[in-house]
Amino acid sequence: MSGKPSQVEFSRENLENVLKRRFFFAPAFEIYGGVSGLYDYGPPGCAFQANIIDIWRKHFILEEDMLEVDTTMLTPYEVLKTSGHVDKFSDWMCRDLKTGEIFRADHLVEEVLESRLKGDKEARGLVDNANADAQEDADKKKRKKKVKEIKAVKLDDEVVQEYESVLAKIDGYSGEELGQLMVKYNIGNPVTGETLEAPKAFNLMFETAIGPSGQLKGYLRPETAQGQFLNFNKLYDFNNLKMPFASAAIGKSFRNEISPRAGLLRVREFLMAEIEHFVDPENKKHENFSEVADVKLRFLPRTVQQEGLTTPIETTIGEAVKTGLVDNETLGYFIARIYQFLMKIGVDPERLRFRQHLANEMAHYAADCWDAELHTSYGWIECVGCADRSAYDLTVHANKTKEKLVVRQKLDTPVTVTKYELDLEKKKFGPKFRKNAPLVEDWLLSRNQDELVKLKEELSSNGKITFKIPEIEDQIELDTTFITIEQRTKVEHVREYTPNVIEPSFGIGRIIYSIFEHRFWSRPEATERAVLSFPPIVAPTKVLLVPLSNNEDLQPIVKQISKTLRKEQIPFKVDDSGASIGKRYARNDELGTPFGITIDFESVKDGSVTLRERDSTKQVRGDVKDIIKAIREVTYNGVSWEEGTKNLTPFETKVDEE
Amino acid sequence: MSGKPSQVEFSRENLENVLKRRFFFAPAFEIYGGVSGLYDYGPPGCAFQANIIDIWRKHFILEEDMLEVDTTMLTPYEVLKTSGHVDKFSDWMCRDLKTGEIFRADHLVEEVLESRLKGDKEARGLVDNANADAQEDADKKKRKKKVKEIKAVKLDDEVVQEYESVLAKIDGYSGEELGQLMVKYNIGNPVTGETLEAPKAFNLMFETAIGPSGQLKGYLRPETAQGQFLNFNKLYDFNNLKMPFASAAIGKSFRNEISPRAGLLRVREFLMAEIEHFVDPENKKHENFSEVADVKLRFLPRTVQQEGLTTPIETTIGEAVKTGLVDNETLGYFIARIYQFLMKIGVDPERLRFRQHLANEMAHYAADCWDAELHTSYGWIECVGCADRSAYDLTVHANKTKEKLVVRQKLDTPVTVTKYELDLEKKKFGPKFRKNAPLVEDWLLSRNQDELVKLKEELSSNGKITFKIPEIEDQIELDTTFITIEQRTKVEHVREYTPNVIEPSFGIGRIIYSIFEHRFWSRPEATERAVLSFPPIVAPTKVLLVPLSNNEDLQPIVKQISKTLRKEQIPFKVDDSGASIGKRYARNDELGTPFGITIDFESVKDGSVTLRERDSTKQVRGDVKDIIKAIREVTYNGVSWEEGTKNLTPFETKVDEE
C-alpha cells in the first residue's frame, strides 16, 4: 500500500472516538456501569485479533514446527506456589482506613513526589503556568491522577535532589522501603492528607475454589507458561525425544490489577501467545540463525540505560550476538523473528525498540530478558517479552513433584566422570525416623557435590553429621552406620540435563492497541476524515461492496459478487445504506477496510466495476474477475497495489469523495 | 476418503490408549496428581480443535455474515444475578458429615435405585449372573460408580413400580423432593450406609473477587451468551440498525461440577462457540430457509419421548417446519446448518439425532430447545443446543439497568393504538415516599395492560389503590391525587419490540470426543492397528514425509518438499526416525494424518514420490508437484481421492505395511 499522504496531527481523543464508534472495543458490562480493566472486542476488533492470531500461528507454529498446546486457565494452588507466583506475583497496596480507598504504593509515591517537584518548579518560576497546565492536562488524559492539584511550593535544593533520586529508582523498592518513604516524606491520601496503612503485598492472581468442598484452592493462571512446563515430558516424547524444540500456547491470562488504567494497555483479562523453546544450556546455537543474521534492529541495552540514556544502538542481530550484546543465537533468533512478525501485522518500525531488562526489574525466574517495546501516546510500552528463564521452572516443578523433567542425551563418546556419591543404609531409617524417614532420605539424596564434600569432611572428623530439615523440628544426627560418602569414577554413556527455556511472550491486546495508534491518521479535508491504514492481511474486512444506489438493477450484481467473495473466503461487507458514496467510504476508512468495489450502471451493461484503494483513494476499473484477482494478490500474496492492478484501467473518480 | 474396511470391534480402552499415547489430550497438572474435570490438549488435539474452530468460523460467521465478539470471562455478580444464574445455575449436593464425602443428589438416588432394581432382578432370577456382571462391568467403565456391589434382594412388586416411576422423572425433582426420596427410600452413603445431610443447592459457577478491596464479587462465566446480550445495542448499531442479525462468540466457559467424570464429556473448563440470532418475534421466517429445506434429519420430538419411545422420525427440515414439529423457519434453518457443520468435521450421520427438550428439563430461559445429540460409548450426548431463549435475557437486563434493549421498526403504514396509560403526579411522590419514591414510581410505570385495567377498576370503585412492593415493608396506598389511569388512542409510526433470540450453542470438547469415537477403528491385522479416520480438512496434520532411510542423498528432497509444503501452508511432519516404514505409518494412522509421502532412491533420480492414503492404504506415484496438487485438492477443495489422483500412477507397495 502507498504511504500516508499529508495528514492532521495525531490525537488520541479522535482515535478513541473512532474505535468506540466503530465498536473495535468497548468497556465490558457498560450498561451495568462497567468494571475497570475489562473490555470486550466488537466485530472489527475481534476480526483484527483473529487475523493477528492466525498470522502468529503461521509465522511461529507452522513455520517453526512448534508443538501447540491448549492448557487450562484454572490452576491449583500448589503449582503456582512452586512456580513462585503465590509468593512473588504481587504489587504493594496501601489502604485509607477512613475512606476505604486503596492505592498502589509505588504509583502513589511517584505521583506525589512528581507533583511536589512540579510545584517547586512553579514556585521557582522555572515553568510558566500555561505550559504547566498543558502538561498537567496531557497527564490527566494519560491516566486518572490521584493528585488533583499542584501547589507552587518551593523545596530545599537537597530535597529536590532526594526526590529525583527516589524517582529514578522507583521500580526497585520493596514494600517496606516504600512504607519508609511514605513516612519520611509524609505521603498520605493525596486528597485528604490522611495517613495510610503501611504497604501490604497484594497478590495479583484471581483466587477461586475448585470443587464443592471448597478445599482445593485455585487461581486463574497469570501466564500460559506453567501449563507448558508441566507437560514437558509428554511434549519431549511427542517430539520423538529430539532437542531443541518449542511448545506454544495461545490463550487468556489474568491479572487482578490494583487500579487498572490506560485502556487496553493494562487490563485484568488478556490474550497471550507464548512460546517455550527448550534448549540445551550448553548449546544455544540456532540452526536457522543465518537466515535472520542480517535483520537490523534497535537495541537499548542495560548499560546504556544505566547511564540514564535512551538512544538505541542500531545494528544487525548477527552483530549483536557476535559482540555479546545479545547473549546467544537462540535468543537472537527469536528477537529477529519477533521483529518480522510485528512488521507483517503493521507495527511502525520507527516506533519499535528492543530494551534489555535491568537486573532489578526482571521477573523472579529470568536470567536475561529483552522486551519489544512499541511507542504510543502513553510512552514506550512492553508488548513482547523475550526472556531466558534458564532451568528455573522445570527444576522447581521436578523438585516438588519428584517427577524427572530432563533430557537424556546419548553420548557418542562416553565420558569418565568422577564424583561424590552418598549411600544410605536404608533399612535403618524406618525404625529411627518412622514417618519422617522419606523426608530425611530425600534431603540427603538431593545434596549437590559441594554439599557432599562438606558432609564428607564432617563425617570424617566427627564420625557423624548433624543437620536440620525445615519440616522436622529436632536436629538430626547420623553416623557412619547410616550413611557413606565416597568419591567414585564412572563411565557415563548418557548425559542428563534440565533444558533451559527461551520464552517469547506476546501481549496481544497491547500489540493491537499500539497498531491502532501506529496506523491511525486523518486526511486534512475540510472536515477531518479518519483512516486506519491496516495492512490488508490483518484488516478486519478486506472489501466493501458499494452499489451506487438502491436501484433494483444493481442487486443481482451485488449478489453475484458477494457469492464469489464468499466462495473465495475473502471477508467483505455490503453497504447498501442510502448514504452517499463518500460517506460510505468514510465509514469504511474508519474500519480500516483496504478495498472498495463500486457497482454502478456501467456494471449492469458490461460487468465492469471500480476498485478503490483506501490510503491513496486511487481507483481502477475492470472486469469483476480481474478485480477480485487483484484483491487476492495484494491481500494474501504480498503484491503491491501498483503491481497487482497494473493490468486494470486507472479510473478518474466521478464520485466526490467528500 | 474411502469407507472403513473390515475392522475390529470398537473398544473405548484402545481408543483412550491411542489418545493418551499420541497426546491428543491428558489430565491437566498430571505430575501434581491431576485435578478432576481439567484436561490439556496436546499438539494433535490442539490442532484438531483449531481446525474445527476455523471451519466453524467459516461455516457460520463468514458464510452467514455474523458479528463476532470476544467478551470477558470474568463477570460481575450483578449481571449473573439478573440473568438468573446466581439463583438457578446449580445442582443439589449432599454431604456425609462423617467422611466429608460429597454426592450429587440426583445421581445418587438414580444409582442406588438402579442398583436395587438390578438386585431385585437377580433375586427373581430374571437376569443370569454372567450377564449382570458384564453389564455392571460396562457400567463401571462408563463412570466411577458410588454403589460398589449389587445385592440380590427381592423387592415388593409395588416398590419396583415406584422405583421405576421415580427413575423416569429423575431429571425433574427439586432439592426438597430429592431429600424426601432419600428419607423415604433410606438412601445414604452407599458404602457405609451413613445418613447424609439434606440436599443443598450448590451453585456451579466459580466465584472470585475483582479488585483489591474484595468487594466486587464476580464469577467465571457459565456461557458466552451474556456478553453478547449486554452488547446488543452496540451490535444492532454496528449492523446499521438492520434486523434480523446474529452475533457469535468463541471462548472458554466454566462449570464447577460436583464430581466430574466421563473424561472430556463433563469438564470444568470448556470451549464453547455460541451464536445469538436476534429476530423479530412476529416474523421468524429465514430468508435462506429454502436452501436447506431438503436436508433430511432424525428428530426425536417431545411427544415421542413422553411415550417412553426413542425411535426418531426421519424427515426433511422443510417438512418438519411445515408440520409444526419444529416451531419456525429460523430455528429450522439453524438445525439444518448445525447438521451440515457436523458432517463437514467428521460426525457419523448414523450417530446423530436432534432431540427436543422435555418441558421440565429446559434451561430457565428457554422457550423451546432441540439438542444435536451424538452417540458414543457413554450413550447419547448433548453436543449442540439450539434453543429459543425468547426475549428473556434482553428483557431482564433492560429492566435491571433501565437501558432500553429494543428494536425500533419504522412502520410503512402508521397504526392506531388504543391503550391504557398511567400518569403520575410526580411532585407528590418525593414528600410522601422520600428515598423510596423511585421504587414506587418504577413499580407503577412497569405495569402491563391487564394490570392497568385492574388498577383502574380499583381506583374507580375505591377512590384509591393499595399494593405492596417487595423492597418496601409497608402497604402502599395511593388516591386519584397521585395517579390517573386513562385509555388513550394514538397513531404510532414506530413499532418498538424486544427481539427474540435463537441460540445455537456448541460444546466443542464434546464434539471433539464424539468424533474421536466415530472415526476410530482398528485394522484386523495380526497385531491390531488403530486408525483415526478424520476428514482431511480437520486432520491435525495433513501429510507425513517419510524418507525411506536416513541416507544423506534423500535429505535434499525432504528439505525441498518441506519448503514447498510450508509455502503452501499445508501442515506436515517429517518422520526421519530409524523405525521401519510400516511402523512409521502405523504411528501416523494413530494421529489421523490422511496422507503420507514416501521418498526413496527413485525420487533422487526422477523427482517422483509415492503418496499413500491412510484409510485404504492405496498408493499412487507421480511428480512432487502433482502429488502436492492432489493433496491440496482432496484436503481443501472437497475432491475425492479417486478424482484427485486420477492422473497419477497406481503404485504397488514394495514396503510391507506391517
Side-chain angles (χ1 to χ4, degrees):
Chain A
M1 311 296 280
S2 46
K4 304 173 194 174
S6 69
Q7 52 173 291
V8 177
E9 209 190 334
F10 175 79
S11 146
R12 193 200 296 158
E13 203 184 334
N14 287 355
L15 170 61
E16 281 175 353
N17 286 341
V18 168
L19 294 175
K20 193 182 164 173
R21 185 162 61 236
R22 298 300 165 213
F23 198 12
F24 274 87
F25 69 96
F29 316 107
E30 200 170 24
I31 66 172
Y32 277 83
V35 175
S36 58
L38 294 181
Y39 292 91
D40 291 341
Y41 285 99
C46 191
F48 190 67
Q49 177 181 267
N51 292 340
I52 284 177
I53 289 300
D54 187 52
I55 294 169
W56 194 90
R57 210 174 237 136
K58 283 172 181 153
H59 185 85
F60 289 106
I61 297 179
L62 275 188
E63 282 187 37
E64 311 268 1
D65 207 13
M66 293 173 174
L67 308 182
E68 189 179 353
V69 295
D70 182 11
T71 67
T72 65
M73 298 170 202
L74 287 165
T75 309
Y77 169 87
E78 230 187 330
V79 169
L80 293 161
K81 176 72 185 172
T82 306
S83 69
H85 287 89
V86 169
D87 297 322
K88 292 183 186 157
F89 189 69
S90 50
D91 281 339
W92 297 99
M93 68 166 188
C94 27
R95 194 185 296 261
D96 182 325
L97 291 176
K98 287 234 172 105
T99 64
E101 268 179 290
I102 289 170
F103 300 90
R104 189 171 143 178
D106 53 344
H107 286 179
L108 181 69
V109 170
E110 188 177 16
E111 268 190 48
V112 170
L113 296 190
E114 274 175 356
S115 73
R116 287 183 191 168
L117 286 173
K118 266 185 209 150
D120 171 71
K121 277 197 180 160
E122 215 177 305
R124 288 171 193 244
L126 290 176
V127 212
D128 64 83
N129 281 352
N131 268 354
D133 285 355
Q135 179 57 37
E136 182 61 9
D137 219 48
D139 274 356
K140 263 190 197 147
K141 269 187 201 157
K142 196 164 144 182
R143 52 190 199 191
K144 281 182 232 150
K145 281 275 176 187
K146 304 290 180 195
V147 180
K148 304 296 177 196
E149 55 169 334
I150 306 286
K151 287 183 195 143
V153 177
K154 188 173 175 306
L155 306 169
D156 289 345
D157 287 358
E158 55 269 38
V159 171
V160 170
Q161 268 191 6
E162 258 185 76
Y163 282 7
E164 279 169 351
S165 142
V166 167
L167 287 173
K169 292 178 285 185
I170 193 71
D171 287 336
Y173 290 111
S174 68
E176 203 181 346
E177 287 166 338
L178 288 167
Q180 286 160 357
L181 291 171
M182 289 168 66
V183 172
K184 184 169 175 192
Y185 300 127
N186 191 27
I187 297 173
N189 184 325
V191 174
T192 64
E194 192 67 39
T195 306
L196 305 174
E197 262 194 326
K200 277 187 194 159
F202 173 66
N203 192 288
L204 298 172
M205 292 192 292
F206 286 96
E207 192 181 318
T208 193
I210 303 172
S213 71
Q215 282 161 354
L216 186 57
K217 188 161 148 180
Y219 297 100
L220 295 178
R221 66 179 174 200
E223 57 175 8
T224 71
Q226 298 304 321
Q228 300 181 59
F229 299 138
L230 297 186
N231 282 307
F232 173 76
N233 283 343
K234 293 192 185 87
L235 290 164
Y236 176 45
D237 194 46
F238 185 85
N239 205 46
N240 292 333
L241 308 182
K242 281 194 182 172
M243 286 287 291
F245 73 94
S247 63
I250 300 163
K252 292 273 169 83
S253 294
F254 302 82
R255 195 181 157 112
N256 197 5
E257 295 286 349
I258 293 177
S259 54
R261 50 196 189 186
L264 287 189
L265 296 179
R266 192 168 282 278
V267 294
R268 285 175 164 151
E269 177 177 331
F270 46 92
L271 188 63
M272 296 184 90
E274 289 191 307
I275 294 162
E276 311 298 332
H277 181 87
F278 299 96
V279 61
D280 183 344
E282 291 175 10
N283 176 13
K284 294 187 180 174
K285 287 204 169 303
H286 194 289
E287 65 167 340
N288 297 329
F289 186 71
S290 62
E291 287 175 21
V292 301
D294 292 336
V295 173
K296 218 170 193 172
L297 302 170
R298 293 176 183 184
F299 296 97
L300 190 60
R302 191 176 293 157
T303 47
V304 171
Q305 296 169 65
Q306 278 161 344
E307 287 168 34
L309 303 175
T310 58
T311 315
I313 296 169
E314 205 165 336
T315 185
T316 64
I317 191 71
E319 269 305 298
V321 169
K322 208 160 135 193
T323 59
L325 175 63
V326 167
D327 184 62
N328 60 72
E329 279 192 1
T330 298
L331 197 59
Y333 179 76
F334 279 110
I335 287 174
R337 291 287 291 158
I338 290 166
Y339 170 85
Q340 291 173 332
F341 168 71
L342 294 174
M343 290 306 103
K344 271 188 197 170
I345 60 173
V347 162
D348 180 351
E350 303 294 314
R351 300 173 76 181
L352 162 63
R353 71 181 186 192
F354 286 89
R355 188 179 72 80
Q356 192 175 27
H357 273 204
L358 298 172
N360 65 354
E361 69 173 315
M362 277 195 291
H364 59 270
Y365 46 75
D368 192 10
C369 187
W370 287 86
D371 282 345
E373 292 188 332
L374 300 181
H375 188 260
T376 72
S377 62
Y378 294 95
W380 286 97
I381 303 297
E382 172 201 343
C383 289
V384 189
C386 194
D388 184 336
R389 290 176 81 132
S390 69
Y392 175 80
D393 302 272
L394 292 181
T395 306
V396 293
H397 288 303
N399 287 346
K400 178 71 188 171
T401 60
K402 311 288 170 212
E403 191 85 29
K404 274 193 169 185
L405 300 171
V406 294
V407 166
R408 289 171 54 83
Q409 181 191 10
K410 210 179 154 198
L411 296 172
D412 293 335
T413 327
V415 291
T416 307
V417 178
T418 302
K419 60 180 178 187
Y420 286 91
E421 288 185 345
L422 183 145
D423 300 319
L424 305 174
E425 190 63 19
K426 254 199 148 179
K427 64 175 187 291
K428 302 188 79 173
F429 277 71
K432 183 171 169 79
F433 297 107
R434 287 193 277 187
K435 73 172 170 42
N436 283 333
L439 279 174
V440 179
E441 290 170 22
D442 272 359
W443 188 90
L444 288 167
L445 292 175
S446 58
R447 295 307 92 194
N448 64 28
Q449 288 294 301
D450 289 350
E451 290 162 334
L452 287 180
V453 172
K454 283 193 197 135
L455 290 176
K456 187 178 165 61
E457 282 166 11
E458 192 182 341
L459 202 58
S460 313
S461 45
N462 303 348
K464 64 179 186 187
I465 59 171
T466 56
F467 56 95
K468 269 199 61 72
I469 296 179
E471 295 90 341
I472 300 173
E473 209 176 316
D474 298 328
Q475 180 157 290
I476 296 162
E477 212 177 277
L478 294 173
D479 62 25
T480 48
T481 63
F482 282 84
I483 58 165
T484 327
I485 300 172
E486 274 184 13
Q487 200 180 38
R488 291 176 193 141
T489 299
K490 280 185 185 170
V491 178
E492 290 186 352
H493 298 263
V494 168
R495 173 181 158 234
E496 199 177 89
Y497 67 87
T498 303
N500 276 16
V501 174
I502 310 285
E503 177 191 77
S505 168
F506 296 70
I508 301 297
R510 290 180 169 197
I511 294 173
I512 285 176
Y513 178 78
S514 303
I515 296 175
F516 288 159
E517 280 210 6
H518 291 192
R519 291 287 151 178
F520 181 75
W521 57 289
S522 297
R523 299 192 210 275
E525 265 92 347
T527 48
E528 281 178 27
R529 281 185 23 189
V531 188
L532 278 163
S533 287
F534 301 131
I537 187 81
V538 287
T541 296
K542 314 305 182 193
V543 187
L544 183 75
L545 280 192
V546 191
L548 192 65
S549 79
N550 275 333
N551 188 297
E552 273 184 20
D553 293 348
L554 303 181
Q555 291 310 309
I557 304 179
V558 174
K559 282 220 166 135
Q560 186 50 46
I561 301 178
S562 297
K563 204 173 157 189
T564 311
L565 288 169
R566 204 169 282 128
K567 189 160 167 270
E568 299 242 341
Q569 301 189 333
I570 298 175
F572 70 99
K573 293 273 172 206
V574 177
D575 188 345
D576 52 6
S577 70
S580 73
I581 294 273
K583 279 226 175 86
R584 284 186 270 173
Y585 275 133
R587 185 151 65 195
N588 195 59
D589 290 348
E590 291 190 347
L591 284 163
T593 309
F595 304 109
I597 291 180
T598 316
I599 295 139
D600 53 27
F601 294 97
E602 291 293 311
S603 313
V604 183
K605 284 183 215 151
D606 64 4
S608 71
V609 292
T610 305
L611 178 67
R612 171 188 182 267
E613 197 276 330
R614 173 195 60 207
D615 298 351
S616 62
T617 72
K618 276 184 189 157
Q619 303 199 31
V620 292
R621 185 133 188 136
D623 185 74
V624 171
K625 203 169 76 313
D626 298 327
I627 295 280
I628 291 181
K629 186 162 172 259
I631 292 171
R632 172 163 288 291
E633 286 297 303
V634 179
T635 305
Y636 297 106
N637 297 335
V639 169
S640 72
W641 165 259
E642 287 69 24
E643 177 66 20
T645 60
K646 68 180 178 202
N647 296 326
L648 297 162
T649 317
F651 186 72
E652 276 305 304
T653 176
K654 293 171 191 162
V655 189
D656 187 2
E657 276 271 340
E658 272 304 298
Chain B
M1 311 297 280
S2 45
K4 303 171 194 173
S6 69
Q7 51 174 293
V8 178
E9 208 191 334
F10 175 79
S11 145
R12 193 199 296 158
E13 203 184 334
N14 287 355
L15 169 62
E16 281 175 353
N17 286 341
V18 168
L19 294 175
K20 193 182 165 176
R21 186 162 61 236
R22 298 300 164 212
F23 197 11
F24 275 87
F25 69 96
F29 315 108
E30 201 171 22
I31 64 172
Y32 277 83
V35 175
S36 57
L38 295 180
Y39 292 90
D40 292 340
Y41 286 100
C46 190
F48 190 67
Q49 176 182 267
N51 292 341
I52 284 178
I53 289 300
D54 187 52
I55 293 169
W56 194 90
R57 209 174 238 136
K58 283 171 182 153
H59 185 83
F60 289 106
I61 297 179
L62 276 186
E63 282 187 37
E64 311 268 0
D65 207 14
M66 293 173 174
L67 308 181
E68 188 179 353
V69 295
D70 182 12
T71 68
T72 64
M73 297 172 205
L74 287 165
T75 308
Y77 168 86
E78 232 187 328
V79 169
L80 293 161
K81 175 73 183 170
T82 306
S83 70
H85 287 88
V86 169
D87 297 321
K88 293 183 186 159
F89 189 70
S90 50
D91 282 340
W92 298 100
M93 67 168 190
C94 28
R95 195 186 296 261
D96 182 325
L97 291 175
K98 286 232 172 106
T99 64
E101 267 179 290
I102 290 169
F103 300 91
R104 192 171 139 179
D106 55 344
H107 285 180
L108 181 68
V109 170
E110 189 178 16
E111 266 189 51
V112 170
L113 296 191
E114 274 175 356
S115 72
R116 288 183 192 167
L117 287 174
K118 267 185 208 147
D120 170 71
K121 278 197 180 161
E122 216 176 305
R124 289 172 191 246
L126 290 175
V127 213
D128 64 82
N129 281 352
N131 267 356
D133 285 355
Q135 179 57 37
E136 183 60 8
D137 219 49
D139 275 356
K140 263 191 197 146
K141 267 186 199 157
K142 195 164 144 183
R143 52 191 201 188
K144 280 182 232 150
K145 282 274 177 188
K146 305 288 181 197
V147 179
K148 304 298 177 196
E149 54 169 334
I150 307 285
K151 285 181 196 143
V153 177
K154 187 174 176 304
L155 305 169
D156 288 345
D157 287 357
E158 56 268 39
V159 171
V160 170
Q161 268 191 7
E162 258 186 76
Y163 283 5
E164 278 168 353
S165 144
V166 167
L167 287 173
K169 293 179 284 186
I170 193 70
D171 287 336
Y173 291 110
S174 69
E176 204 179 343
E177 288 165 338
L178 288 167
Q180 286 160 359
L181 291 171
M182 288 169 66
V183 173
K184 185 169 175 191
Y185 300 126
N186 191 26
I187 297 173
N189 185 325
V191 174
T192 64
E194 192 67 40
T195 306
L196 306 174
E197 263 194 327
K200 277 187 194 160
F202 173 67
N203 192 288
L204 298 172
M205 294 192 291
F206 286 96
E207 191 182 319
T208 192
I210 303 172
S213 71
Q215 282 160 355
L216 185 57
K217 189 160 147 179
Y219 296 100
L220 295 177
R221 66 179 175 200
E223 56 175 8
T224 71
Q226 298 303 322
Q228 300 181 60
F229 299 137
L230 297 185
N231 283 306
F232 172 76
N233 283 342
K234 294 193 184 88
L235 290 165
Y236 177 45
D237 193 47
F238 185 85
N239 205 45
N240 292 333
L241 309 182
K242 282 193 184 172
M243 285 288 290
F245 74 93
S247 62
I250 301 163
K252 293 271 169 85
S253 294
F254 301 82
R255 193 179 158 111
N256 197 5
E257 295 286 349
I258 292 176
S259 55
R261 50 197 189 184
L264 286 188
L265 296 179
R266 192 166 283 279
V267 294
R268 287 175 163 150
E269 177 177 330
F270 46 91
L271 189 63
M272 296 184 90
E274 288 191 307
I275 294 163
E276 311 298 332
H277 181 87
F278 299 97
V279 62
D280 183 343
E282 292 177 9
N283 176 12
K284 293 187 180 175
K285 287 205 169 301
H286 194 289
E287 65 167 340
N288 298 329
F289 185 73
S290 62
E291 287 175 22
V292 301
D294 292 337
V295 172
K296 216 169 195 174
L297 302 170
R298 292 177 184 185
F299 297 97
L300 190 60
R302 192 176 293 155
T303 47
V304 171
Q305 296 168 64
Q306 279 161 345
E307 288 167 34
L309 302 175
T310 57
T311 315
I313 295 169
E314 205 165 335
T315 185
T316 64
I317 191 71
E319 269 305 296
V321 169
K322 209 160 135 193
T323 59
L325 176 62
V326 168
D327 184 63
N328 60 72
E329 279 192 3
T330 298
L331 197 60
Y333 179 75
F334 280 111
I335 288 174
R337 292 286 291 158
I338 290 166
Y339 170 84
Q340 292 173 331
F341 168 72
L342 294 175
M343 290 306 104
K344 271 188 197 170
I345 61 173
V347 162
D348 180 350
E350 302 294 315
R351 299 173 77 181
L352 163 62
R353 71 180 185 192
F354 286 88
R355 188 179 73 80
Q356 191 175 28
H357 274 204
L358 298 173
N360 65 355
E361 69 173 316
M362 277 195 290
H364 59 270
Y365 45 73
D368 191 10
C369 186
W370 287 87
D371 283 344
E373 292 188 331
L374 301 181
H375 187 260
T376 71
S377 61
Y378 294 95
W380 286 97
I381 302 298
E382 171 201 344
C383 290
V384 189
C386 195
D388 184 335
R389 291 177 79 131
S390 69
Y392 174 82
D393 303 272
L394 293 181
T395 306
V396 293
H397 288 303
N399 288 346
K400 177 71 189 172
T401 61
K402 311 288 170 212
E403 191 86 28
K404 274 192 169 185
L405 299 172
V406 294
V407 166
R408 289 172 53 83
Q409 180 191 12
K410 213 179 150 197
L411 295 172
D412 293 336
T413 327
V415 291
T416 307
V417 178
T418 302
K419 60 181 177 187
Y420 288 90
E421 288 185 343
L422 184 146
D423 300 318
L424 305 175
E425 190 64 20
K426 254 199 147 177
K427 63 175 186 295
K428 300 188 80 172
F429 276 70
K432 183 171 169 80
F433 295 107
R434 287 193 277 187
K435 73 171 172 40
N436 284 333
L439 279 173
V440 179
E441 291 169 23
D442 272 0
W443 188 90
L444 288 166
L445 292 175
S446 59
R447 294 307 91 195
N448 64 29
Q449 288 294 301
D450 290 349
E451 290 162 333
L452 286 180
V453 172
K454 282 192 197 141
L455 289 177
K456 189 179 165 61
E457 282 166 12
E458 191 181 344
L459 203 58
S460 314
S461 45
N462 303 347
K464 66 179 184 185
I465 59 171
T466 55
F467 56 95
K468 270 200 59 74
I469 296 181
E471 296 91 339
I472 300 172
E473 208 173 317
D474 297 330
Q475 180 157 290
I476 297 163
E477 209 178 278
L478 293 174
D479 61 25
T480 49
T481 63
F482 281 84
I483 57 165
T484 328
I485 300 172
E486 275 184 11
Q487 201 180 38
R488 291 176 192 141
T489 298
K490 280 183 182 171
V491 177
E492 290 186 352
H493 297 264
V494 168
R495 170 180 162 237
E496 200 177 88
Y497 67 88
T498 304
N500 276 16
V501 174
I502 310 284
E503 177 192 78
S505 168
F506 296 71
I508 301 296
R510 288 181 171 197
I511 294 174
I512 286 175
Y513 178 77
S514 303
I515 296 176
F516 288 159
E517 280 210 7
H518 291 193
R519 291 288 151 178
F520 181 76
W521 57 289
S522 296
R523 299 190 211 275
E525 265 92 345
T527 48
E528 280 178 29
R529 279 180 29 184
V531 187
L532 277 162
S533 287
F534 302 131
I537 188 81
V538 287
T541 296
K542 313 305 181 194
V543 187
L544 183 76
L545 282 191
V546 191
L548 192 66
S549 79
N550 275 333
N551 188 300
E552 273 184 19
D553 293 348
L554 303 181
Q555 291 310 309
I557 304 179
V558 174
K559 282 220 166 132
Q560 185 51 46
I561 300 178
S562 298
K563 206 172 156 188
T564 310
L565 288 169
R566 203 170 281 128
K567 190 160 165 272
E568 299 241 342
Q569 301 189 334
I570 298 174
F572 70 99
K573 293 272 171 204
V574 177
D575 187 345
D576 53 5
S577 70
S580 74
I581 293 273
K583 279 226 176 84
R584 283 186 271 173
Y585 275 133
R587 183 151 67 196
N588 196 59
D589 290 347
E590 292 190 348
L591 283 163
T593 309
F595 304 108
I597 292 180
T598 316
I599 294 139
D600 53 28
F601 294 98
E602 290 295 309
S603 313
V604 183
K605 284 184 214 151
D606 63 4
S608 71
V609 292
T610 305
L611 178 66
R612 171 190 183 266
E613 198 275 330
R614 173 196 60 207
D615 298 350
S616 61
T617 72
K618 277 185 190 158
Q619 302 199 31
V620 292
R621 186 135 188 136
D623 185 73
V624 170
K625 203 168 78 296
D626 298 326
I627 295 280
I628 291 182
K629 185 160 172 264
I631 291 172
R632 171 164 288 291
E633 286 298 303
V634 179
T635 305
Y636 297 107
N637 299 334
V639 170
S640 72
W641 164 260
E642 287 69 25
E643 176 67 21
T645 59
K646 68 180 178 201
N647 295 326
L648 297 162
T649 317
F651 187 72
E652 277 304 303
T653 176
K654 292 169 191 164
V655 189
D656 186 3
E657 277 270 339
E658 274 303 298

